[in-house]
Amino acid sequence: MAAVLCVGLTTLDVTQRVDEFPDPGQKIRSLGAVLSPGGPAANAARAVAALGGRAALLTSLGADALGEFVRASLDPVQVIAVPGTTPVSMVVVRDADGERTVVSRNASVPVTAPDLTDLLAAADVVLLDGHHEGLAIPVARRAKAAGLPVVLDAGSWKPVLDHLLPLVDVAACSAGFERSEAEVHSYGVPLVIRTHGAKPVTWSRNGSAGELPVPAVAVNDTNGAGDVWHGAYAYALASGADPVGAIGFASEAAAVRVGAVGDWVEELARWQDSRSGSTSC
């Protein structure tokens, strides 16, 4: 079973669907509200588990009701949470096109990594989101020394990336990531990937570059789509896929996410089960 260690942010998401985003000062009625785990690393871990992989999540959560709710909701992901706070994200999704807006506090308390020996020994791939510097840097250093592939979810620039990028094998960047491919390569990153929403995914490696189209899909909810992309990509790598070839699988999984209304984890699991083999990429 392909095993991925996801390291980074976990949140409690409060998601509401609306007909239209409110104007400043306006009060509107939502079409529905859902409480669920969120955050880049947590969503990626949920995607790995839904695809049939073994997912471990190294993160920080508060020892309170919010933290306990999130822990319970992440099953069957193996959660290793160091003491901290449980960030809350307020997510509003526009019903017509799935566009979303997010207000979040993210991680604000310094954390210290636990013993990493067993976690890294059980992993085939490590996925980092750049949050929780006290976890990300020790994991990346140990993984690099052990020869484990390290994938970075590069959604936005963070100061810690000056230290993380030299330890990364694949940097998967969002369209809005503030550094060019050449700048990311200059840190020693072999493969740089950039997603562009509904447009083709671009990549560059060893002087070569290319692009791969993404599936056309009716968009119902874009929240967490990038997280699912990263989780599916890491799962494909852990399953033995070529680092460039894994892009297509990740884009297909993300398309399932944006097309889902409701429990996207179940939708992703059903999609994987409908393929030729539940562990194939």
Side-chain angles (χ1 to χ4, degrees):
M1 182 183 293
V4 179
L5 172 60
C6 302
V7 183
L9 185 65
T10 301
T11 65
L12 173 63
D13 283 4
V14 183
T15 304
Q16 301 204 57
R17 297 187 72 88
V18 298
D19 285 322
E20 291 292 342
F21 294 133
D23 295 325
Q26 181 186 13
K27 293 183 179 181
I28 61 172
R29 184 183 297 274
S30 72
L31 303 174
V34 177
L35 289 178
S36 64
N43 281 335
R46 296 177 81 198
V48 170
L51 292 168
R54 186 169 66 246
L57 172 64
L58 177 59
T59 188
S60 178
L61 289 171
D64 52 21
L66 298 183
E68 288 305 312
F69 173 83
V70 170
R71 279 177 181 271
S73 302
L74 284 168
D75 185 68
V77 173
Q78 178 192 5
V79 180
I80 304 92
V82 300
T85 60
T86 305
V88 177
S89 290
M90 311 303 294
V91 183
V92 181
V93 179
R94 185 165 56 196
D95 195 56
D97 59 3
E99 187 57 71
R100 84 322 184 215
T101 185
V102 181
V103 178
S104 60
R105 183 73 173 89
N106 291 345
S108 58
V109 177
V111 296
T112 302
D115 184 0
L116 301 171
T117 304
D118 290 342
L119 282 175
L120 291 171
D124 298 309
V125 170
V126 170
L127 173 62
L128 312 170
D129 67 12
H131 293 278
H132 294 309
E133 178 177 343
L135 303 179
I137 291 179
V139 169
R141 286 175 176 162
R142 291 278 298 275
K144 190 73 170 180
L148 284 175
V150 178
V151 179
L152 174 67
D153 169 356
S156 61
W157 181 261
K158 305 171 185 66
V160 70
L161 296 188
D162 278 323
H163 306 288
L164 276 182
L165 283 172
L167 304 170
V168 166
D169 298 291
V170 181
C173 310
S174 67
F177 188 65
E178 299 89 341
R179 299 293 189 273
S180 69
E181 280 76 357
E183 288 176 292
V184 178
H185 280 305
S186 72
Y187 284 86
V189 180
L191 174 60
V192 180
I193 301 168
R194 191 180 293 266
T195 57
H196 302 271
K199 297 178 181 179
V201 178
T202 56
W203 61 269
S204 60
R205 178 175 65 171
N206 298 330
S208 298
E211 64 178 39
L212 291 168
V214 301
V217 63
V219 178
N220 290 306
D221 189 348
T222 59
N223 187 45
D227 308 336
V228 171
W229 194 100
H230 292 100
Y233 182 84
Y235 168 80
L237 277 190
S239 300
D242 173 79
V244 172
I247 293 172
F249 177 78
S251 296
E252 290 181 23
V256 174
R257 168 64 191 103
V258 300
V261 176
D263 192 341
W264 62 265
V265 175
E266 287 190 5
E267 288 290 332
L268 193 61
R270 280 195 292 267
W271 170 77
Q272 177 71 330
D273 286 343
S274 72
R275 295 161 57 82
S276 58
S278 63
T279 59
S280 67
C281 295

